[in-house]
DNA sequence: GCGCGTCTTTGACCAGGATCAATGAACGGA
DNA sequence: TCCGTTCATTGATCCTGGTCAAAGACGCGC
């Protein structure tokens, strides 16, 4: 599969229609195509703003504060677009959770390339807005939720993105480790593990191996996620 | 001053040139113009995604988790654009920190209006990206920094946005209360107050009344903000 | 200029989650 | 299949920041 073909799902998703092949070619020329193995980090040029398209696999965007403390800012799955800023306050890196296939674009050149296509530009804006809204929800969790609520939020959020519904239950295969979950939720691995144990004994979920989780009571879990209850219109 | 005139600085900032008057008129027709007094909240329609332009004044974007816990997701000042999503996980409101003048746009109609102008669309994308990157930096602070680092980050960040440099010092007039600062940093007012006291006695800053702060040692403060030290290229 | 209400500061104590430590389970390679 | 390493779990203890409480400062309206 060549770069242009890899790009097609991206362009289709962005503008909601088959893309003009000329644009696809133009973008393909800008892209750096990379395959990263599990645990590896994407070869990012941190002097410029970038967009990264996750063609296959999944990644974590990791920010480092001083003293080696790490905060995972977001997880991404196939089809997602990640905006990676040039280094400023914190140092960012993009790491693969499993064998992953990426296309890396310099932001300014990508802007220029798609400037003539409002549909694509609007689609990209929409993706960035979604990322912003997710990031805000994460900030609420980090600032104002306790350990149990954070883990519940995480599980409910992952269920929405990569879960498979089976009757009233949802099964999940988490590509990230307990450490990744902890680094995403602003907790330690021990605390995350304790929360999993409590939820297991409460009958809310069952685990099988490291990665496989079955949410037995998704609604209960969601209720404990500390989300505001939506008032009916 | 009419709506179109209020819009001009926005459009100029977005596309880096005097705007086509036709577009300004079109956008002005979409905008709901509102003046909100100190402490008041903007009359937002939470059923649709919105953009809000802060023409004058300053605001806080507040998210409510359940149990009345509030997290301030961002502060905004004159010239900023805020994206406010329709309610989902958390309930958002936009509150004025001082008498404030706003223009409220429905996001979808704004998209349609500026679709024909790539420069404006790209400018808007740039603003949203800046908001995303700020939000990520905030997430790092909320997830992985202690109280002292959070307050130091806050002060350094505000100094960049609304500070006045005087010699090696920076003076600030904070429009937000200690409670706002606490709700922004995921702390309590008591903890914020204690951090201010410590920094005062360390000689890092001086306060005068509620709002006026003089950073005596901005560099020391920045060093304690827990940001990663930039390695030289 | 005065007085009251609100916001801030300070103190004492408490608790949730971090840290330190050790055991146990999973996975991958030989 | 077995073994070794890594990852997850559980337990004991500590500490940062939250909670409760009270006094003090600020600023607004009269």
């Amino acid at each position: 599969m060549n770069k242009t073909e890899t790009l097609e799902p991206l362009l289709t998703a962005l503008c909601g229609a088959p893309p003009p092949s000329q644009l696809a070619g133009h973008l393909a020329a800008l892209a750096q195509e990379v395959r990263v193995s599990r645990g590896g980090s994407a070869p990012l040029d941190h002097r410029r703003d970038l967009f990264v398209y996750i063609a296959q696999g999944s990644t974590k965007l990791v920010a480092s504060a001083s003293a080696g403390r790490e905060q995972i800012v977001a997880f991404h799955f196939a089809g997602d677009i990640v905006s990676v800023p040039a280094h400023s306050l914190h140092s960012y890196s993009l790491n693969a959770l499993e064998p992953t296939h990426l296309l890396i674009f310099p932001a300014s050149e990508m802007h220029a390339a798609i400037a003539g296509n409002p549909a694509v530009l609007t689609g990209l804006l929409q993706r960035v807005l979604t990322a912003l809204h997710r990031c805000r929800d994460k900030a609420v969790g980090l600032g104002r939720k306790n350990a149990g609520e954070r883990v519940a939020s995480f599980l409910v959020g992952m269920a929405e993105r990569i879960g498979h519904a089976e009757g009233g239950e949802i099964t999940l295969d988490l590509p990230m480790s307990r450490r990744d979950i902890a680094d995403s939720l602003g907790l330690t691995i021990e605390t995350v593990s304790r929360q999993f144990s409590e939820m297991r004994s409460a009958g809310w979920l069952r685990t099988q191996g490291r990665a496989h989780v079955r949410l037995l009571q998704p609604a209960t879990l969601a209720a404990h996620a500390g989300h505001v209850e939506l008032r009916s219109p």
Side-chain angles (χ1 to χ4, degrees), chain A residues 45-61:
Chain A
D45 174 3
H46 292 293
R47 292 166 304 178
R48 55 212 312 215
D49 293 342
L50 303 169
F51 284 105
V52 180
Y53 174 64
I54 317 291
Q56 286 170 27
S58 53
T59 61
K60 54 178 177 180
L61 180 62

Side-chain angles (χ1 to χ4, degrees), chain A residues 4 8 10 23 73-74 83-84 87 90 109 133 165 170 228 231:
Chain A
T4 308
E8 257 170 46
L10 164 63
L23 177 57
V73 160
S83 161
V84 184
H87 278 341
H90 304 110
E109 298 177 33
H133 300 161
I170 301 176
V228 80
R231 48 212 153 303

Side-chain angles (χ1 to χ4, degrees), chain A residues 20-33:
Chain A
S21 65
Q22 184 193 0
L23 177 57
H26 195 165
L27 280 174
L30 290 179
Q32 179 191 357
E33 190 174 19

Side-chain angles (χ1 to χ4, degrees), chain A residues 173-203:
Chain A
D173 280 293
L174 298 176
M176 68 288 285
S177 66
R178 293 288 184 277
R179 165 158 300 285
D180 289 333
I181 298 173
D183 283 346
S184 162
L185 299 178
L187 301 170
T188 58
I189 40 176
E190 293 93 332
T191 299
V192 171
S193 183
R194 275 184 256 270
Q195 292 301 325
F196 269 80
S197 299
E198 277 189 33
M199 291 176 179
R200 254 192 305 263
S201 51

Side-chain angles (χ1 to χ4, degrees), chain A residues 46-172:
Chain A
H46 292 293
R47 292 166 304 178
R48 55 212 312 215
D49 293 342
L50 303 169
F51 284 105
V52 180
Y53 174 64
I54 317 291
Q56 286 170 27
S58 53
T59 61
K60 54 178 177 180
L61 180 62
V62 184
S64 297
S66 60
R69 293 167 298 180
E70 299 202 329
Q71 173 68 39
I72 294 179
V73 160
F75 292 112
H76 309 93
F77 301 97
D80 287 351
I81 296 172
V82 192
S83 161
V84 184
H87 278 341
S88 56
L89 296 180
H90 304 110
S91 164
Y92 290 93
S93 69
L94 189 70
N95 293 70
L97 300 174
E98 57 190 314
T100 295
H101 182 188
L102 306 171
L103 294 178
I104 303 173
F105 300 88
S108 57
E109 298 177 33
M110 183 161 176
H111 284 163
I114 65 179
N117 192 321
V120 173
L121 202 46
T122 306
L124 182 60
L125 176 60
Q126 206 61 60
R127 296 293 196 101
V128 174
L129 281 169
T130 301
L132 173 60
H133 300 161
R134 279 220 185 95
C135 187
R136 284 171 174 171
D137 283 335
K138 173 182 278 281
V140 177
L142 292 172
R144 289 286 175 242
K145 289 183 184 173
N146 63 29
E149 292 171 325
R150 293 188 203 187
V151 173
S153 289
F154 169 80
L155 289 170
V156 171
M158 281 300 141
E160 283 173 10
R161 294 176 75 182
I162 55 170
H164 296 272
E166 295 181 9
E169 306 182 347
I170 301 176
T171 59
L172 278 173

Side-chain angles (χ1 to χ4, degrees), chain A residues 27-38:
Chain A
L27 280 174
L30 290 179
Q32 179 191 357
E33 190 174 19
V34 182
R35 285 170 198 278
V36 184
S37 57
R38 179 183 155 85

